[in-house]
Amino acid sequence: MAAQALALLRELSRLEAPLEELRALHSVLQTVPLGELRAPAAELRLGPLFSLLHEDHREQTTLCVSILERLLQAMEPVHIARNLGADLQKGLTHPDDSVKILTLSQVGRIVENSDAVTEILNNGELLKQIVYCIGGDNLSVAKALIVEISSVSPESLTYCTPSGLVTQLLRELTGEDVLVRATCIEMVTSLAYTHHGRQYLAQEGVIDQISNIIVGADSDPFSSFYLPGLVKFFGNLAIMDSPQQICERYPVFVEKVFEMTESQDPTMIGVAVDTVGILGSNVEGKQVLQKTGTRFERLLMKIGYQAKNASTELKIRCLDAISSIFYIPPEQQTEDLLRMTESWFSALSRDPLELFRGISNQPFPELHCAALKVFTAIANQPWAQKLMFNSPGFVEYVMDRSVEHDKASKDAKYELVKALANSKTVAEIFGNPNYLRLRTYLSEGPYYVKPISTTAVEGAE
């Protein structure tokens, strides 16, 4: 089948009006597995197909786009970047949106591949041409691609600046269309994942602008469309730079997170919980949360409540956030931090250990694993080990392999055992016999099954 497709492709280059051949090639390609096309793909000459795109014939263009989509999918992004640059440039300026989207998707593949993107970055003219071609395009995929290219390196951002991207993003951030604003904030967040991107956004005043939008969101009845994106932006910004600096400079962000946990809207609660989890994922962020005092303890009580009563999806997000907030690497543990996490833990509910154990016993593997992750997060902290040891049946629950039935659950239980067994304080708190049981579990691995002993009985058949 692949050979038949190649023969039809060669035939196309010799014909002036190859509509029948295009139909035949299109049909054949639908039946050829992508794997069979990969080997000969590098030898394909796609020039004739690209040329046919520029004739004013609707069916011909549609067939060519579909055929190229399939063949390009079989090619490595590096090969496309090296050999099809000129064809991509022509495709970017094509009047038909389907051709543009095909071309943009290939540029996207190149940008996502570290070897292929180097080909573009080393070819300044090609990069400038790509940016020039898509910079003025209103297709959202084109804007997203500009952001992706800008994120690769400071040099690529410099090439993209003349496209007017930031000016356009700012205009859309403050524009009337709330859905465009929501899409726009996602793109700005992507750029903020890189150090040079964050510097650029700060210089251009975009971060201050986003802070001002949060301030004005209270009076906007449609703010629920874009507010989650704005809060996520600041959450990511805080953890990539400095939680303390970001929270001090933009107090409206912290205020909004606390406010969103009071919402009746599960979407808002979910974003607030995720953001608290991100903020609390390092020691500096934990200290920022601690400074809010009893407000944070009330917020923890709400997260504990949601972990017990919300939908399964929100329960898991709450458990993930709790794991993130409570984990402290052994080398960063201090008496003050341990007192802080112990105090926080007691704020979650009347009996948090039983709460999470109850959740872990529910017949949903995702919930079971998320609850085990909470235990693992606190397992290296002496106060938590004492709670576990003094909780009736908890040590047996940890050692019991029959509780977990699927691979993810067995892996999650093993991580808990590993965290306990590797702790310097567990032998003293759990006692040596239990410590040895933990070490045995660890050495046997996550999937160990105890052999069933069979005793022969004399006279039995």
Side-chain angles (χ1 to χ4, degrees), residues 128-381:
K128 275 194 272 190
Q129 183 65 29
I130 288 172
V131 173
Y132 173 76
C133 289
I134 62 181
D137 203 311
N138 278 325
L139 288 168
S140 61
V141 65
K143 292 177 197 164
L145 205 49
I146 286 269
V147 171
E148 275 194 58
I149 294 170
S150 301
S151 300
V152 172
S153 70
E155 292 75 25
S156 65
L157 177 57
T158 304
Y159 279 122
C160 291
T161 307
S163 70
L165 167 75
V166 173
T167 313
Q168 191 175 351
L169 287 181
L170 266 175
R171 194 165 55 242
E172 291 179 351
L173 266 175
T174 54
E176 295 299 315
D177 191 325
V178 291
L179 295 177
V180 169
R181 186 181 285 185
T183 307
C184 183
I185 192 62
E186 279 182 34
M187 294 182 196
V188 172
T189 303
S190 299
L191 192 54
Y193 280 122
T194 64
H195 179 66
H196 67 272
R198 291 194 295 280
Q199 279 185 320
Y200 187 58
L201 292 172
Q203 286 163 10
E204 297 295 318
V206 178
I207 300 173
D208 291 338
Q209 188 77 45
I210 292 172
S211 175
N212 292 337
I213 295 170
I214 293 178
V215 173
D218 288 341
S219 57
D220 182 357
F222 300 106
S223 63
S224 61
F225 286 104
Y226 58 82
L227 196 54
L230 300 178
V231 170
K232 281 182 196 171
F233 170 81
F234 271 110
N236 287 314
L237 202 63
I239 210 63
M240 284 183 284
D241 277 347
S242 158
Q244 187 173 338
Q245 285 179 21
I246 295 297
C247 294
E248 283 178 1
R249 183 165 178 187
Y250 303 102
V252 65
F253 155 60
V254 183
E255 194 59 41
K256 188 54 70 176
V257 171
F258 277 97
E259 198 180 292
M260 284 165 72
T261 60
E262 309 274 359
S263 171
Q264 299 302 309
D265 181 349
T267 304
M268 292 295 182
I269 297 169
V271 170
V273 165
D274 295 344
T275 307
V276 170
I278 290 169
L279 269 180
S281 63
N282 67 22
V283 168
E284 187 184 324
K286 293 184 207 306
Q287 288 165 336
V288 167
L289 294 170
Q290 173 71 348
K291 281 180 187 173
T292 64
T294 54
R295 286 191 77 190
F296 185 58
E297 292 193 352
R298 285 199 301 274
L299 186 146
L300 284 170
M301 190 170 66
K302 290 189 184 73
I303 292 179
Y305 176 84
Q306 296 292 348
K308 184 180 180 182
N309 299 295
S311 65
T312 300
E313 190 248 348
L314 186 50
K315 279 179 184 173
I316 292 167
R317 288 167 79 174
C318 288
L319 294 168
D320 285 347
I322 291 166
S323 303
S324 175
I325 293 162
F326 281 89
Y327 177 69
I328 310 174
E331 67 279 5
Q332 293 183 355
Q333 289 181 10
T334 63
E335 289 299 320
D336 284 347
L337 285 174
L338 290 170
R339 270 196 299 273
M340 181 185 79
T341 50
E342 184 176 9
S343 163
W344 285 359
F345 197 71
S346 63
L348 285 163
S349 80
R350 272 205 310 277
D351 189 345
L353 210 65
E354 273 309 300
L355 165 68
F356 300 128
R357 202 162 147 195
I359 293 170
S360 78
N361 288 330
Q362 292 179 24
F364 304 104
E366 296 92 343
L367 274 177
H368 181 67
C369 291
L372 285 173
K373 266 176 69 182
V374 172
F375 294 140
T376 306
I378 58 174
N380 64 16
Q381 299 177 45

Side-chain angles (χ1 to χ4, degrees), residues 119-136:
E119 293 288 326
I120 285 186
L121 295 178
N122 289 339
N123 184 342
E125 283 308 308
L126 175 58
L127 178 60
K128 275 194 272 190
Q129 183 65 29
I130 288 172
V131 173
Y132 173 76
C133 289
I134 62 181

